[in-house]
Amino acid sequence: MQKQAIFQSKLLPYALVAPQLAIVLIFFYWPALQAVIQSFLQQDAFGLSTTFVWFENYVELFGDSAYFESILRTFFFSFAIAVSSLSFALLLAVMADKPLRGSMLYRTLLIWPYAVAPPVVGVLWIFMLHPSLGVIARYLRALGIDWNPLLDGDQAATLIILAAAWKQISYNFLFFLAGLQSIPRSVLEAAAIDGARPMRRFWTVTFPLLSPTIFFLLVVNIVYAFFDTFGIIDTMTRGGPGKSTETLVYKVYSDGLLGGNLGSSAAQSVVLMIMVIVLTGIQFRFVERKVTY
Amino acid sequence: MALRHFGTAAAVALTVGLGASPALAVTEIQWWHAMTGANNDVIVKLANDFNASQSDYKVIPTYKGNYADTMNAGIAAFRAGNAPHIMQVFEVGTATMMAATGAVKPVYKLMAEAGEKFDPKIYLPAITGYYSTSKGEMLSFPFNSSSTVMWVNLDELKKANVAIPKTWPETFEAAKKLHDNGHATCGFSNSWVTWVNLEQLSAWHNVPLSSKANGLDGFDTKLEFNGPLQVKHLEKLVELQKDKTYDYAGRTNTGEGRFTSGECPLYLTSSAFFGNVKAQAKFAFTAVPMPYYPDAKGAPQNSIIGGASLWVMGGKPAEEYKGVAKFLTFLSDTDRQVYIHKASGYLPITKAAYEKAKAEGFYKDQPYLETPLLELTNKEPTENSRGLRLGNMVQLRDVWAEEIEQALAGKKTAKQALDAAVERGNTMLRQFEKTAVK
């Protein structure tokens, strides 16, 4: 199979790629470089006095136990969000994949939440579960559950995981549905003729054939939980109570914009950037090869 | 026909516009602010009135989001070299603005250089003290000031046969009674947890929040709010949180609906809450001074302000500063101050405006509007009650709140929590001191 396009002129391919390259340079490499430079400096908020401090920001960062707690917390959150969102989306996709009447309607409705912006998701869930405003919170209290995420860190964490996972379900659902529909029916029918029950058919045929989709989504979900949950955390808990919902990305915001400590904030961004680079590296190197297609 | 006339008119307008000598050109003054709703209307009206009153300058107000957003937008704009002329900054941003020598133009200097008549003595010292140096030089112009008061749901107190409490022990008693009479989820509560339970509590009882006159006399200030009074107060809140006689309502003012809905009959928060109470409360209400501990020496002292002030940004041409100075004079006018006071519920900043509002009988049927003024002017301010000036105060408050939350959740004792808050806060203050321009 011919994979290479043939260009007559030497310059044309570069010209065609130029706009995309320019966008990547201006909107990604330039700010990333700025962050790296900033992480070696100490500056007041107004940028009036600047001192070059080498690795002092990093040394302070890794000498701070709160930072390690924040790392562990972020991993826990990402894992919890990814697993709950993926499993629920898979369940819904398997249901929607059945030949049902009105399945198009279900599918459309399930895709909707993806269009909601994270801060709005936060506000929506606040209206349901805020201890004094929340509709559901009222029922929980009526049941005798002491629901108070303003003071109870575990409940606050649950709240964030719920809201963040809910938003991501649509995205996962879409990919799972596409993945399910590309599974050859003949294989499933053969399994059925051999006497495999639906559950067994799912685990022995469908699930392995879905594995590339699952791995792809796992990485996407972890990256989402790392970065895009900022809006949800900011509108719902602002990192509290205590520090129980302060993830890495929220800490970058809080130290940089609320605390005016740009050096430390930039150093944290660089650490985050390295984490994501590693994660993506794993996806390409390891996962892409190990998955059965 | 009409079109041709339009063309002529446009041509005339153009010639006038282009041919005008620079002396006639209107100088634009950018004013960034964080006011919404009714308070935004007040800002727009002030700008329009000023623009109509003279023809040399045009003030253009722009809403930039909440207080923290506005401040960040201003800082970012300054770094990019296009800061606004006037920026509304909340009181906790004062130290950050002050430390930025060169980024801001102190108001007293601005007035002197522009040759505007300016007498700092016409303002209420309880308000301007917060924004002045220890020598009394005014650095920023107080715009919207408030203080902490206790909002009272009179109907519910009557129902439970409870008198309006004056001291903290009375407040705890009253809250218990209310808790046992239909307010099982909340006897009393408050917004702005650190402002009410640390900052104001300390000033109101004349104990230091931090050394060096709460930071007014230098950035090398050390936090001191883990003293016996503050610890005792927090211990009491922790104890009452257990059965919801006191129920924590969050770090900012998101819990204020709990007062207007009738859930919490006693609620400590800003006097600026008035607009919402008036609009939403379906019961008789009032606002009384903050409770105090009668066994504390000299309590109550005086309260400190909240709200925001107007900072003038540095590096603008003298001609534009003239306009800014004229605008500040315009805002200081007695009738205008009375208007701001009545329309927004924020406090008047000049003595004359306060006297005039009083003389007009404004507080006769709304005595609660005078409560914050009475608190602020209760006694001559001391080292501990002039104001606060701590760097990175926005994040400091978050750190203090984190620790208070730990105590209320039963994870730490009150003493441990406040010790940790002091320790973590001091680390941040040293960090700020390092980067502050000397």
Side-chain angles (χ1 to χ4, degrees), chain A residues 43-49 56 60 132 146 150-151 238 240-243 254-255 257-259 261-262, chain B residues 72 75 78-79 97 100-101 103 241 244 248 251-252 258 263 392 395 398 402 405 408-409 424 431 434-435:
Chain A
Q43 229 181 19
D44 68 301
F46 286 86
L48 297 163
S49 71
E56 199 180 310
E60 265 178 26
S132 59
D146 185 18
L150 285 178
L151 279 183
R238 303 182 62 186
K243 277 191 175 296
S254 154
D255 288 350
L257 275 177
L258 302 178
N261 189 348
L262 295 171
Chain B
N72 286 327
I75 289 172
F78 177 83
R79 291 178 78 116
M97 299 301 290
T101 318
Q241 173 73 54
K244 293 220 165 43
Y248 180 65
R251 297 179 190 182
T252 59
R258 303 177 72 177
E263 188 199 352
N392 287 345
Q395 206 188 11
D398 270 336
E402 277 173 19
E405 284 164 354
L408 290 171
R424 290 175 62 194
Q431 170 72 30
K434 246 194 315 198
T435 56

Side-chain angles (χ1 to χ4, degrees), chain B residues 26 98 143 271 284 349 354 410 420:
Chain B
V26 176
M98 250 192 73
F143 180 69
S271 55
I349 62 167
Y354 179 25

Side-chain angles (χ1 to χ4, degrees), chain B residues 395-412:
Chain B
Q395 206 188 11
L396 266 182
R397 274 183 169 174
D398 270 336
V399 166
W400 301 348
E402 277 173 19
E403 296 297 338
I404 291 175
E405 284 164 354
Q406 303 268 32
L408 290 171
K411 290 193 175 126
K412 285 184 180 177

